[in-house]
Amino acid sequence: MFTAFMFSRYYTYMGSNRMKILYKCTFLLAAIGFLMYIIRSKSRPQLAPSILSSENLANKDKNNNNTSFNNVAGLEEIKEELQETIDFINNSNKYRRMGARIPQGVLFYGPPGTGKTLLAKAVAGETKSTFLYASGSEFVEKYVGVGAKRVRTLFEKAKKEAPSIIFIDEIDAIGTRRNMDSNNEKDQTLNQLLVEMDGFNTDETIIVIGATNRLDLLDEALLRPGRFDRHIYVGNPNMKAREQILEVHTKNKPLDNTVNILDIAKKTHGLSGADLANIANEAAIIAVRNDRPRVSIDHFNAAIERVLAGLEIKNPTVLLKEKRTVSVHEAGHALVSKILKIDMVQKISIVPRGQTLGYVLRFPEDDRYLLTKQELMDKISAFLAGRAAEELIFNEITTGAKDDLDKATDLARKMVCDYGMGSLGHMAMDESYVKHNYDIIRVEIENLLDKGYQSALKILRENRDILNHISNTLMEEETIDSHQLDKIFETYKKPIDYAT
Ligand code: ADP
Ligand code: ZN
């Protein structure tokens, strides 16, 4: 935004007379000087712990927070999930009358730039609550007790201005698992946070929203009921969501008719909402710099290139090539899981998520404690179905199945060594037995894996039309939910019932 402003200034000066230029230049220099001063004083190392004007700890944002769910594009399921929290705040009395405790902690997790902060702000906007922003790293101090005191101050402020939303970004900075070589200051800070969350007076409506990229690092105490007990994954957008996000961020920009938002959405597979906002802004800056009255597709293409160059992600053209492989791979998992009725397939996605390029989200149909040998074999087939689909369609396999192989092998090993389900008899094998007979055991494991793989391949071959349909839909839409998947199956004649 700042850069765009500078450029437009520059162009308006071109036609003015000299005095005016001189005058305005002085003004501009003064402005730049002032800005530099602000930036430097912000980054200046602090000698003593800055005690605790709550103003600089958390920005109060009550009166000028106009953010609402309209500013958040895509993420429909998450907005729906947050409706409940919003209702808790807006109608807190209704819940209190029933004696219900208002749940106070929501944790957003997922990659950066996906709209976690934006969502928290929107919840505050939708409920007209005070929005208090803090970053976990602000609480990390060398001096014992300082972080804890900051936490206390933050919550006091929230209570005073309730209803409020406390948003703690990068909560992992204070909330990582406590361990043996613990750090006294950090533990105190985390403890204080726990104390504050437990100690809410039931008359005050305060919701704490935490955000992290690393849910796995958080201390379990933080995740317990009554604290951050709602966990919501906020991931990178699929194509439709990318289109909507681009629409939000180009609403205030004059576009010429070469620009097709959907095409841009198609080209930006794997990018986050923040990347897209950045692209829209860069495109506008480039248009200004080229002295054009409207933003054109060329400006967008240049902006995409520039934003991607600054990102440490793979080249998008590589991503596009891989997209086809990932679609087939995930379609394979989904098809075999569904036909073997292993779990309920909830969602298939080829939107990259952390290190994974695609995934099939499955939920068990019901709680199971005992599994039959056949069911375990079916699970192995489902694990290996991604690779089998690659072989069937491309006659070539990739490194993408690494995790699947780990899981399948682990399961096969358990079947042989722990469950007595190989051909070595009903014997549990202890470690030393395994060590001394590893050659026989390995053959057993290989046999199970091969059997599972072959049956996956057979299912895929016999249902190749469905496989193609699923993978093509994934290429087009990037995610498929359980209803869409059911529809695809209905389109074809009833698949052979393989489950026993
Ligand atoms: P996070 O907190 O997950 O790192 P932010 O909420 O700070 O991400 O997002 C950064 C910016 O990216 C937002 O201010 C907004 O401009 C843009 N953005 C991200 N996701 C969305 C979205 N779903 N809809 C609209 N804008 C988004
Ligand atoms: Zn896989």
Side-chain angles (χ1 to χ4, degrees):
M1 285 296 272
F2 174 60
T3 335
F5 172 72
M6 287 286 289
F7 279 119
S8 57
R9 275 283 149 134
Y10 179 72
Y11 283 108
T12 24
Y13 296 138
M14 301 297 265
S16 324
N17 67 40
R18 279 187 84 155
M19 270 311 285
K20 239 174 157 177
I21 292 177
L22 211 66
Y23 171 75
K24 287 200 173 170
C25 277
T26 322
F27 174 75
L28 203 68
L29 274 174
I32 290 173
F34 181 57
L35 250 162
M36 299 269 285
Y37 168 72
I38 291 181
I39 291 168
R40 282 186 45 192
S41 60
K42 273 207 159 168
S43 60
R44 190 180 295 156
Q46 294 185 341
L47 298 175
S50 70
I51 305 222
L52 290 164
S53 107
S54 64
E55 295 307 320
N56 66 27
L57 179 66
N59 302 319
K60 186 184 149 193
D61 223 343
K62 188 173 201 164
N63 301 322
N64 52 15
N65 180 15
N66 304 322
T67 313
S68 75
F69 275 167
N70 290 335
N71 301 98
V72 187
L75 305 180
E76 295 309 323
E77 296 156 34
I78 295 173
K79 288 195 238 174
E80 218 162 89
E81 210 171 331
L82 288 172
Q83 280 306 335
E84 194 182 59
T85 306
I86 288 175
D87 194 52
F88 281 135
I89 306 175
N90 283 343
N91 302 302
S92 51
N93 284 334
K94 191 171 77 181
Y95 293 91
R96 290 207 181 94
R97 231 177 292 126
M98 281 293 172
R101 184 180 54 79
I102 294 181
Q104 54 230 8
V106 179
L107 194 68
F108 292 152
Y109 67 103
T114 46
K116 296 185 285 298
T117 313
L118 187 66
L119 277 165
K121 256 194 181 162
V123 172
E126 295 278 337
T127 55
K128 300 192 176 51
S129 302
T130 310
F131 181 69
L132 296 161
Y133 174 93
S135 166
S137 55
E138 289 168 41
F139 299 100
V140 180
E141 285 287 348
K142 234 176 21 214
Y143 302 89
V144 175
V146 174
K149 176 123 199 263
R150 287 195 178 160
V151 172
R152 219 160 31 237
T153 314
L154 176 62
F155 278 78
E156 268 161 25
K157 194 171 162 69
K159 281 175 201 160
K160 223 182 289 159
E161 296 174 12
S164 22
I165 307 285
I166 297 178
F167 179 69
I168 307 180
D169 204 1
E170 297 171 36
I171 196 163
D172 40 290
I174 41 174
T176 41
R177 212 164 291 136
R178 288 167 289 191
N179 52 22
M180 298 301 280
D181 49 77
S182 75
N183 165 334
N184 199 0
E185 154 64 4
K186 233 182 79 191
D187 289 0
Q188 274 202 21
T189 311
L190 176 55
N191 280 334
Q192 189 62 38
L193 178 63
L194 298 175
V195 166
E196 295 290 348
M197 289 191 75
D198 292 343
F200 280 141
N201 187 326
T202 41
D203 296 339
E204 296 142 355
T205 306
I206 299 170
I207 305 275
V208 190
I209 300 181
T212 179
N213 308 332
R214 295 295 306 271
L215 184 63
D216 54 318
L217 292 183
L218 293 186
D219 197 286
E220 270 161 38
L222 259 182
L223 307 178
R224 246 173 243 150
R227 293 166 184 167
F228 291 104
D229 45 12
R230 282 163 205 237
H231 307 166
I232 300 180
Y233 178 76
V234 188
N236 280 330
N238 68 9
M239 193 160 69
K240 183 125 195 57
R242 291 201 298 277
E243 186 186 7
Q244 290 163 351
I245 293 171
L246 284 164
E247 237 132 45
V248 165
H249 288 276
T250 51
K251 220 170 27 200
N252 60 353
K253 299 178 174 65
L255 308 177
D256 76 11
N257 57 15
T258 57
V259 178
N260 180 337
I261 296 288
L262 182 61
D263 282 346
I264 302 173
K266 280 184 185 160
K267 278 200 281 214
T268 44
H269 176 68
L271 297 193
S272 71
D275 298 331
L276 297 170
N278 203 356
I279 285 172
N281 193 50
E282 280 289 333
I285 290 175
I286 293 169
V288 172
R289 196 168 320 136
N290 292 343
D291 217 2
R292 311 304 304 187
R294 287 172 177 277
V295 188
S296 75
I297 191 64
D298 293 338
H299 303 143
F300 270 99
N301 286 335
I304 291 171
E305 218 161 88
R306 176 180 291 188
V307 168
L308 285 176
L311 291 174
E312 282 183 62
I313 67 153
K314 291 189 218 163
N315 184 325
T317 53
V318 177
L319 270 181
L320 271 183
K321 255 191 246 155
E322 287 179 349
K323 201 171 158 179
R324 173 98 196 116
T325 312
V326 179
S327 302
V328 167
H329 180 107
E330 298 308 328
H333 281 307
L335 176 63
V336 170
S337 303
K338 197 164 163 67
I339 285 187
L340 292 178
K341 302 196 174 99
I342 295 173
D343 290 321
M344 170 112 152
V345 175
Q346 195 68 20
K347 186 175 169 187
I348 321 169
S349 167
I350 58 161
V351 178
R353 175 173 176 168
Q355 297 290 333
T356 356
L357 294 175
Y359 54 90
V360 174
L361 190 64
R362 298 182 315 200
F363 289 134
E365 300 249 22
D366 44 25
D367 283 340
R368 294 289 304 274
Y369 299 102
L370 294 175
L371 290 166
T372 64
K373 181 176 173 188
Q374 185 58 48
E375 283 165 335
L376 294 179
M377 284 307 298
D378 289 351
K379 269 182 192 282
I380 290 179
S381 295
F383 283 139
L384 298 178
R387 166 159 285 191
E390 291 178 39
E391 185 188 326
L392 180 67
I393 301 296
F394 303 118
N395 216 357
E396 177 70 288
I397 53 178
T398 68
T399 54
K402 179 181 177 303
D403 258 12
D404 301 333
L405 299 188
D406 285 347
K407 285 186 191 140
T409 309
D410 188 51
L411 184 52
R413 191 189 48 73
K414 280 192 182 133
M415 287 176 73
V416 175
C417 300
D418 299 346
Y419 307 143
M421 288 177 176
S423 59
L424 297 177
H426 310 291
M427 175 176 59
M429 303 169 190
D430 63 16
E431 240 172 78
S432 89
Y433 184 92
V434 172
K435 208 165 134 197
H436 290 104
N437 297 279
Y438 196 69
D439 283 344
I440 320 172
I441 291 172
R442 209 195 55 222
V443 173
E444 282 294 306
I445 294 176
E446 276 171 7
N447 283 341
L448 290 182
L449 291 175
D450 191 53
K451 219 172 138 205
Y453 187 78
Q454 292 307 331
S455 78
L457 209 50
K458 178 165 182 279
I459 292 170
L460 294 170
R461 206 175 283 126
E462 286 166 0
N463 297 279
R464 196 172 172 140
D465 290 345
I466 306 185
L467 181 69
N468 284 333
H469 195 136
I470 298 173
S471 66
N472 290 340
T473 312
L474 276 175
M475 277 301 280
E476 219 14 72
E477 300 180 20
E478 298 179 7
T479 54
I480 297 180
D481 65 21
S482 57
H483 301 295
Q484 281 172 291
L485 191 62
D486 287 342
K487 277 226 181 81
I488 294 176
F489 271 77
E490 276 163 26
T491 313
Y492 297 86
K493 62 180 187 307
K494 197 177 177 309
I496 309 141
D497 196 354
Y498 291 87
T500 44

